[in-house]
Amino acid sequence: MSLNCNEINLILQELNLKGSFIQDIIQPGYDSLALYTYKEGGAKTVFICTAHDACRICEVRRKITKNEKPLRFMEFLRSRIKGCRINSAEQIGLERVVKMEISNAEEEFVLYIRLWNNAANVILCDKNNVILDSMYRRPNKNEMTGEVFPEPVADMTKFDIKDKWPVRQFTMHNSQCTIEGDESKSSANGKNIQNEKAYRSFNEFIDAYYSEHGAALSREALLEKAEKWFNTNLSKREAALANLENKLSSFKNADQMKHTGDLILAYGHLIDGSSRHLECEDYETGKTVSIMIDPKLSAHENAEKYYTQYKKAVSGSEQLEHDIEISKRQIEKLKSQYEAMQKEQNPVKIEQMLRHDSKPVQQQKKTHPGLDYTVNGWYILVGRDANENDELLRRHVRGEDMWLHVRDFPGGYVFIKHKKDKTIPLDILLDAANLAVYYSKARNTGKTDLYYTKVKYLRRAKNGPKGLVIPTQEKNLCITPDKERLSRLDMLQNTSD
C-alpha cells in the first residue's frame, strides 16, 4: 500500500529539506528517483518511487545503484536543478502531492511529486507552473512540456477526517513493529510485520517496510520474479545443451564412415554397375558387410562420398564440443547470476539485474562485433567474417594494436589490444594465432602459416571487397593448432549471454 497523507507529512517533517542543496540526481529505474541533498548537519538521500502500490518519498541510507544507461528524466533534472537550493518542501493540504520550491542564482523552479497510486508522477515546472518536463509524459492529462500544470487545491474538509488515515506505528526499541488499522493491509501477505530491529526514524522504518513488503519493488516479490526468470532460462539452456550433446553422439560413428570408404576402395573391382549394394568381407572383423553405393559412380567416387561425410563429422564434432563448452559456461553463469540476486539485499539492484537480463538478445547492447577474450590482462578481439572484420578495423582497434591473419586462406581477423610500454608475450601471440587459425578455412589443415603486424601498417585494398587489407612490415609465424590451448581459451571467452 502507498503512503497516506499523514505519513507523508511525518516523513517531510523528519527530512527537513528546507535550505538543502541538491548535489546529485540518480534515476535507478523508470519509476524511481533519488535526490542527493546536503545542508549543514549532514547529507540525505531522498528516494522517490512512483511504482504501483509502492508510491512513496523517504530517506534511504543504502546505496542507490545507477541504471546501465542514463535515463532521459535524470539527465534533464541534472541539467536544470543540480546544485539548486530547496527553499521549501511541503505537502499540499492532504492531497498526497509534495510541492518542492527550488532555485539557483538565475532561475526558480517548482518540483511536484504526486504520490497517487495509479497516477503518480514527478513534474518539474518553472515559477509560472509551465511544465518543463516530467517523469511520465501523459498527453491525455496535459502533462507535457509547455503545458501549464494545475496545482491541486487543498481540500480543507479533509482535515476534519484526517484521523481516518493513521500513521503506521513503530517503536524505537527492540520489539514488534505493528501497523494500525486494517490488518489485511498491514503487509504484502496480509499479516502483521514482525521485526525486532530498532528504527531511528519513521523514514528508516518506511524504507525497510517497502524493501521487504512493497508490492512493486519488494525484495520478496522480486525474488519470486527472479526464481521464475531463472527456471525459465535454465530449462531453455539445458534443452539446448541436451540437443547439442545428442548431435555430438550422432557423430560418434565418424571413423566408421572412413572405414567404409576404405572398404569400397579395397573391393572396388566388385562393383558391377547395376547393384546398389556392395557386399564384401570386412578385413577388420571378418564379417560380410553390405555397403550402399551409387552404381553409376566409380569406386573412387563412391569412397570419396564417405570420406566427405567423415570430414564433415570430424569438423562438426569439434564445433559441437566448442558449442557445448560455451553452453555449459552459460548455464554456470546463469546460476551465479541467480545466486547473486538471492544474496542481494537492495531491491532496486535486484530490479535492475532482472531488467537487464530479461532483455531480448536483439535489444541487449553489444559494444563490438565478434568475440573477445581476456587472457592474463591482455584483450583479444576476433572477427569471424568480412563484416565483423571490417567493423573491428573501422571502429574498435587503433594503430598500435596487433593484427593477425592466416596466409593463403580466408578467415577472421584477430587483434591484440596494445598496452602502453608492454611487449606482447609469446604465449599471448600463440593464443591469438590459434584463434586466427580456428576461425579460418585453415582450421583442419594442420601446420599453418600466419602473418602479423600492427594495425597502422595495414592499408585497404583499392576497390577490394569489404574488410580486405594489404599488410606491410609483417612478420611470419608458423604454428600447429593446439586443441588444449583452444579449450583453455574457450573458458576465458567474455560473453554477455
Side-chain angles (χ1 to χ4, degrees):
M1 76 184 177
S2 301
L3 294 176
N4 66 45
C5 53
N6 291 321
E7 291 172 333
I8 293 172
N9 275 335
L10 179 55
I11 285 171
L12 293 176
Q13 181 182 340
E14 288 184 352
L15 285 174
N16 189 22
L17 293 174
K18 183 177 180 179
S20 300
F21 289 87
I22 300 174
Q23 290 188 314
D24 199 5
I25 301 161
I26 299 296
Q27 190 176 2
Y30 295 103
D31 54 9
S32 54
L33 191 70
L35 304 179
Y36 286 77
T37 67
Y38 178 83
K39 75 173 178 178
E40 187 176 355
K44 292 182 179 178
T45 302
V46 181
F47 185 74
I48 302 163
C49 181
T50 59
H52 179 71
D53 276 346
C55 294
R56 66 191 183 277
I57 179 172
C58 66
E59 180 185 3
V60 296
R61 296 179 181 270
R62 52 188 163 80
K63 181 181 179 182
I64 300 297
T65 53
K66 296 181 179 179
N67 197 58
E68 61 177 352
K69 64 177 182 179
L71 297 178
R72 169 192 60 81
F73 192 52
M74 180 191 75
E75 291 296 285
F76 174 78
L77 291 180
R78 281 182 170 179
S79 69
R80 303 304 294 269
I81 66 172
K82 184 177 179 180
C84 286
R85 182 181 188 274
I86 300 176
N87 300 318
S88 67
E90 298 176 347
Q91 182 178 192
I92 299 174
L94 299 177
E95 299 299 324
R96 291 184 295 155
V97 178
V98 177
K99 179 181 180 181
M100 197 177 291
E101 295 181 340
I102 306 169
S103 67
N104 55 28
E106 300 175 351
E107 294 181 277
E108 295 179 3
F109 304 95
V110 181
L111 185 68
Y112 290 98
I113 304 166
R114 188 172 62 212
L115 299 174
W116 297 353
N117 195 37
N118 293 314
N121 207 349
V122 181
I123 302 169
L124 182 67
C125 302
D126 64 14
K127 62 181 181 180
N128 298 315
N129 265 19
V130 176
I131 298 176
L132 301 176
D133 206 349
S134 58
M135 178 179 281
Y136 302 108
R137 293 170 174 172
R138 296 187 173 115
N140 59 327
K141 292 181 177 290
N142 294 324
E143 293 177 4
M144 297 287 292
T145 301
E147 299 288 345
V148 176
F149 180 71
E151 181 178 311
V153 178
D155 185 355
M156 303 307 294
T157 61
K158 288 185 178 181
F159 284 90
D160 296 333
I161 55 172
K162 61 184 297 186
D163 293 337
K164 181 180 178 181
W165 301 287
V167 173
R168 292 169 236 204
Q169 300 299 310
F170 72 103
T171 179
M172 303 290 282
H173 306 285
N174 290 337
S175 62
Q176 293 183 358
C177 288
T178 60
I179 297 177
E180 292 184 352
D182 186 359
E183 289 190 359
S184 67
K185 298 180 180 179
S186 63
S187 69
N189 58 8
K191 298 178 182 178
N192 286 337
I193 300 172
Q194 303 296 323
N195 194 327
E196 296 184 353
K197 179 181 176 182
Y199 296 100
R200 290 169 290 186
S201 67
F202 186 63
N203 275 268
E204 185 179 28
F205 166 65
I206 285 297
D207 182 44
Y209 170 77
Y210 280 104
S211 294
E212 292 297 329
H213 303 281
L217 284 178
S218 72
R219 186 172 180 273
E220 180 183 352
L222 287 168
L223 287 178
E224 289 181 5
K225 187 176 180 181
E227 183 180 8
K228 182 179 179 180
W229 165 84
F230 172 71
N231 290 333
T232 300
N233 283 276
L234 182 64
S235 62
K236 287 181 181 179
R237 294 190 185 279
E238 286 181 338
L241 176 61
N243 187 39
L244 290 172
E245 289 175 335
N246 289 335
K247 285 185 179 180
L248 182 62
S249 65
S250 68
F251 286 155
K252 296 289 186 181
N253 63 344
D255 290 337
Q256 182 60 38
M257 295 179 186
K258 181 177 182 298
H259 181 59
T260 301
D262 294 340
L263 289 175
I264 292 174
L265 290 179
Y267 295 98
H269 61 281
L270 298 179
I271 298 176
D272 58 12
S274 59
S275 176
R276 300 185 63 84
H277 292 86
L278 171 64
E279 293 190 359
C280 60
E281 182 181 330
D282 188 334
Y283 50 78
E284 288 186 351
T285 63
K287 296 180 180 180
T288 300
V289 296
S290 178
I291 302 171
M292 183 172 290
I293 60 170
D294 186 343
K296 297 180 181 178
L297 300 180
S298 65
H300 177 77
E301 289 171 331
N302 274 295
E304 187 61 32
K305 290 176 66 176
Y306 281 94
Y307 289 146
T308 299
Q309 293 180 47
Y310 163 72
K311 291 177 182 178
K312 287 183 178 179
V314 171
S315 177
S317 296
E318 292 179 355
Q319 183 62 47
L320 282 171
E321 288 173 357
H322 174 267
D323 293 343
I324 286 171
E325 280 299 317
I326 291 178
S327 185
K328 288 179 178 179
R329 190 162 69 250
Q330 289 172 344
I331 290 174
E332 288 303 313
K333 181 178 179 180
L334 183 69
K335 291 179 179 178
S336 66
Q337 286 176 321
Y338 180 55
E339 185 177 340
M341 290 178 187
Q342 290 178 306
K343 293 179 178 178
E344 181 59 54
Q345 297 300 312
N346 187 344
V348 176
K349 180 63 177 176
I350 299 174
E351 192 272 338
Q352 286 182 335
M353 295 164 73
L354 278 170
R355 178 157 27 95
H356 171 72
D357 291 305
S358 298
K359 283 183 179 178
V361 173
Q362 63 269 25
Q363 292 183 11
Q364 293 181 5
K365 184 178 180 181
K366 192 173 182 181
T367 57
H368 61 80
L371 306 176
D372 61 299
Y373 301 78
T374 302
V375 187
N376 296 332
W378 291 86
Y379 192 52
I380 301 173
L381 289 167
V382 180
R384 295 165 294 183
D385 55 36
N387 290 327
E388 292 184 351
N389 292 342
D390 185 66
E391 180 68 14
L392 288 173
L393 272 171
R394 286 180 181 276
R395 295 181 173 85
H396 301 279
V397 295
R398 298 293 181 265
E400 291 297 321
D401 299 337
M402 190 64 71
W403 168 87
L404 295 91
H405 190 255
V406 296
R407 283 186 178 273
D408 305 321
F409 289 92
Y413 292 167
V414 177
F415 301 93
I416 305 173
K417 297 295 288 183
H418 171 69
K419 295 177 71 173
K420 188 176 181 180
D421 300 326
K422 297 287 185 179
T423 301
I424 298 174
L426 177 60
D427 200 48
I428 299 299
L429 193 64
L430 291 175
D431 285 342
N434 273 271
L435 290 170
V437 173
Y438 185 80
Y439 290 103
S440 74
K441 294 294 184 180
R443 179 186 297 184
N444 300 313
T445 59
K447 185 177 289 187
T448 307
D449 290 322
L450 303 96
Y451 43 16
Y452 63 97
T453 189
K454 291 184 177 180
V455 170
K456 65 183 179 181
Y457 298 133
L458 301 175
R459 64 181 179 87
R460 294 187 179 276
K462 188 175 182 180
N463 299 324
K466 180 181 287 189
L468 181 63
V469 293
I470 299 173
T472 58
Q473 301 190 33
E474 69 273 20
K475 296 180 181 179
N476 296 315
L477 184 64
C478 182
I479 68 163
T480 299
D482 185 342
K483 291 185 178 180
E484 290 185 5
R485 185 181 293 271
L486 287 168
S487 178
R488 175 175 58 83
L489 287 169
D490 277 343
M491 303 305 295
L492 298 172
Q493 181 183 337
N494 302 323
T495 176
S496 60
D497 294 336

